[in-house]
Amino acid sequence: ITYGDWSSDVCSSDLAAGTKGLMWFQTVPSEIAAGPERWQAITDVNRVTAAIRPLLLEGDPTGTARTADPALVEAIRSRDAIVVTVIGLSAWDQPTDIGCLQTYGDGPIPHWHLDWQNVSVDVDVPSDFTIAEVFEVRPDRTAAVPAASVSQRTVTLGGIALDDRRAARVFVLARSPEVRARVDAALP
């Protein structure tokens, strides 16, 4: 995982949900003073990603997560868990390529500003996978997801709030409670 800026600075960073998880690219270090909240968000995402790293390394994308909301979602299945990544895409302000070129070297770097949005994600669970619990991985702890509902083989994660501060959220559908214990142990 590359430490960096999720802030969506289209000029010098990208956010990608890939086949093995999340990648974060860094902007100009001078931006730390201009946007400390972005750098805190970077730290938060990197903590979460580090905690689920073993699941991502052995996992494969399933393509079984979907949403009607403006968000990028994926379900990554490992032996003991399905990791669901949710990344907000709705923005109220977005820089253009021309705008980036005009400010290159002069003035502040333009950034995307994400809307607050409430996302719902459906995940189709394979018939050979049994879910013991569903939890969210936060920067400092895991938390139960009481809003998760199950209908036949589909788990719905509703009420996922996304915004500039929390542009990405990570949920785990665990085969056993030991998965959560391992993730908790990996958090700082």
Side-chain angles (χ1 to χ4, degrees), residues 6-8 15 41 86-92 112-119 160-169:
W6 69 266
S7 69
S8 305
L15 169 65
V86 184
I87 302 168
L89 296 177
S90 181
W92 60 266
W112 290 71
H113 297 280
L114 301 177
D115 284 328
W116 180 90
Q117 64 184 113
N118 199 6
V119 174
I160 302 169
L162 299 168
D163 60 19
D164 247 358
R165 177 66 185 92
R166 291 185 75 186
R169 308 270 299 268

Side-chain angles (χ1 to χ4, degrees), residues 133-137 142-145 170-174 176 179-180 183:
E133 74 177 310
V134 179
F135 61 92
E136 180 178 6
V137 184
T142 61
V145 181
V170 175
F171 301 89
V172 177
L173 286 57
S176 71
V179 174
R180 186 171 180 181
V183 172

Side-chain angles (χ1 to χ4, degrees), residues 5 78 101 121 136 142:
D5 184 5
S78 67
L101 290 173
V121 176
E136 180 178 6
T142 61

Side-chain angles (χ1 to χ4, degrees), residues 18-61:
T19 58
K20 291 288 184 175
L22 303 173
M23 297 173 66
W24 302 90
F25 298 93
Q26 190 169 6
T27 63
V28 180
S30 63
E31 284 289 294
I32 295 172
E37 69 285 348
R38 288 190 301 266
W39 289 89
Q40 182 58 53
I42 294 164
T43 300
D44 292 349
V45 167
N46 285 321
R47 285 181 178 152
V48 168
T49 305
I52 60 170
R53 185 174 188 268
L55 301 173
L56 297 175
L57 287 173
E58 73 173 30
D60 288 308

Side-chain angles (χ1 to χ4, degrees), residues 147-158:
S149 65
V150 180
S151 173
Q152 296 181 1
R153 299 297 305 167
T154 300
V155 173
T156 300
L157 303 168

Side-chain angles (χ1 to χ4, degrees), residues 69-86:
D69 301 309
L72 185 59
V73 298
E74 182 57 272
I76 302 162
R77 182 182 176 173
S78 67
R79 178 181 51 236
D80 296 329
I82 298 173
V83 176
V84 181
T85 58
V86 184

